[in-house]
Amino acid sequence: MFILVNLKAYPCDPIEVATAARDVADESGVRVAVSPQAADLSRVAETGVETWAQHVDPNGHGSHTGSTLAAAVADAGAQGTLVNHSERRLRLADIDGAVQAAARAGLETCVCANNPAQIGAVAALGPDGVAVEPPELIGGDVSVATADPGIVEDAVEAAAAVDDDVAVYCGAGISSGEDVATAGELGATGILLASGVAKADDPRAALESLVEPL
């Protein structure tokens, strides 16, 4: 099971979370990654934790003010990137471009989508993984695996129907080890979460709780 912690733009200490994630991953043997803001990528990567960007743009070098280049993200130490998070939506053509740009830079990709139909569409673009995240559950106290387990199972089936090699992650409302275990039982091979760790008073304790059943 892969645990990907998105720090969004929360007022947390990215180094504290990254260090905790690194240590918990080392001690448990569970794969844990942290996705900080772009400005913090290098500092987070220097802790030794697996580091992911929150977004990359589809363009390469050129007159693209404000864009986040996949190559620059990789140079900063990132090993992967989210694409099309619910809070950073892209058109399908731009998702495709971002996935291809990330692949050229050697970055692993996880494309987010709202529902199983969208999961099938983005799985066809060749990402390494997809994450099903109903927007209404993001940041809430109830995980998608509990509130709507069928959407996770359907997302797994939708991705498999397109490409068996695309991993399916479960996002939205994940906050406990029970949520992680349930996601795995439904066929997900990873989880994507944010506030459950980024807003925790003790990020290490929150991470330890997540990996405890694994």
Side-chain angles (χ1 to χ4, degrees):
M1 184 66 76
F2 176 37
I3 296 176
L4 177 53
V5 181
N6 179 12
L7 301 186
K8 300 191 178 184
Y10 288 135
C12 60
D13 181 346
I15 304 307
E16 178 188 8
V17 177
T19 301
R22 177 201 64 200
D23 292 346
V24 169
D26 288 345
E27 293 166 9
S28 67
V30 176
R31 183 186 176 196
V32 182
V34 174
S35 184
Q37 295 182 60
D40 295 320
L41 279 169
S42 292
R43 293 196 302 137
V44 167
E46 287 171 359
T47 68
V49 73
E50 182 176 340
T51 304
W52 281 51
Q54 295 181 4
H55 165 81
V56 295
D57 286 293
N59 56 275
H61 293 285
S63 53
H64 306 289
T65 301
S67 62
T68 301
L69 299 184
V73 161
D75 287 345
Q79 296 161 264
T81 184
L82 294 171
V83 177
N84 195 50
H85 188 275
S86 182
E87 297 158 359
R88 191 67 169 82
R89 286 291 180 209
L90 301 175
R91 296 175 302 176
L92 191 62
D94 289 335
I95 296 172
D96 188 20
V99 168
Q100 299 310 313
R104 289 192 296 271
L107 296 171
E108 188 173 341
T109 48
C110 172
V111 179
C112 301
N114 290 348
N115 54 56
Q118 291 183 12
I119 287 290
V122 297
L125 302 177
D128 297 290
V130 292
V132 59
E133 288 195 304
E136 65 273 15
L137 297 177
I138 293 176
D141 297 325
V142 180
S143 77
V144 61
T146 298
D148 193 353
I151 201 172
V152 180
E153 294 173 321
D154 290 347
V156 171
E157 291 180 6
V162 175
D163 187 343
D164 276 334
D165 292 331
V166 175
V168 179
Y169 307 142
C170 178
I174 301 290
S175 62
S176 69
E178 182 179 356
D179 293 335
V180 176
T182 300
E185 291 167 2
L186 295 171
T189 57
I191 62 159
L192 174 60
L193 79 160
S195 58
V197 173
K199 287 187 172 183
D201 292 332
D202 186 341
R204 182 187 176 103
L207 286 161
E208 288 175 336
S209 172
L210 290 169
V211 305
E212 191 273 332
L214 301 179

